[in-house]
Amino acid sequence: MTITIYHNPDCGTSRNTLAMIRASGEEPTIVEYLKHPPPRARLEQLIATLEIPVRALLREKGTPYAELGLADPKWSDGQLLDAMLEHPILINRPIVETPRGTRLCRPSELVLDLLDHPVSRFTKEDGEVVSHDRGRQ
């Protein structure tokens, strides 16, 4: 199975998602998008595949979102994309692509539905236990 994760190693959700993928027996292609942001066409393609508005991919916490005034509805999709490309930290993560689909995996256990052989139980970094049916223990 070909899996790609747009990953930020400083993000707990992203680390948990990557760990769930690896626990399923897969080694994904890891794109550290802060170091290697996707080209504009690729970012547009991801958003289209996710079937979400551009604004829905914006991350607020720990980013220049407020400083740039991005909550203002005046910003066009093109301008929001420009901001994400100039400040990749604005791209919410992790995004995971598999043959089963593409998803913004927040919470991280959303990745389980994208895997051929997901783990039945997984313990996140914070001790929370999740199962394949996404039921929290």
Side-chain angles (χ1 to χ4, degrees):
M1 174 180 253
T2 302
I3 300 173
T4 300
I5 180 171
Y6 289 83
H7 178 61
N8 177 350
D10 293 330
C11 172
T13 301
S14 197
R15 288 190 307 270
N16 281 317
T17 302
L18 178 58
M20 286 184 212
I21 294 168
R22 287 177 167 158
S24 78
E26 299 288 343
E27 184 55 39
T29 298
I30 300 169
V31 177
E32 287 192 36
Y33 68 94
L34 296 178
K35 294 178 182 176
H36 308 285
R40 183 185 191 94
R42 181 70 182 121
L43 185 56
E44 289 172 332
Q45 182 182 39
L46 284 168
I47 292 167
T49 303
L50 289 165
E51 298 179 338
I52 61 173
V54 171
R55 186 170 287 284
L57 193 58
L58 280 172
R59 180 168 175 82
E60 296 178 35
K61 183 180 173 187
T63 74
Y65 179 90
E67 175 185 319
L68 295 171
L70 296 177
D72 192 323
K74 73 177 183 179
W75 301 108
S76 69
D77 286 352
Q79 291 170 315
L80 294 174
L81 285 166
D82 290 342
M84 284 189 259
L85 293 169
E86 185 174 340
H87 306 279
I89 193 73
L90 288 166
I91 301 170
N92 214 342
R93 76 281 183 156
I95 300 169
V96 178
E97 292 181 290
T98 78
R100 292 175 164 255
T102 301
R103 183 174 283 168
L104 174 61
C105 292
R106 298 191 74 79
S108 55
E109 57 267 25
L110 291 176
V111 75
L112 297 173
D113 290 337
L114 298 176
L115 303 173
D116 283 344
H117 305 288
V119 293
S120 58
R121 285 175 55 95
F122 182 84
T123 303
K124 294 183 179 183
E125 291 179 0
D126 65 1
E128 178 185 3
V129 177
V130 295
S131 61
H132 178 52
D133 64 3
R134 288 194 301 272
R136 290 176 170 83
Q137 303 289 320

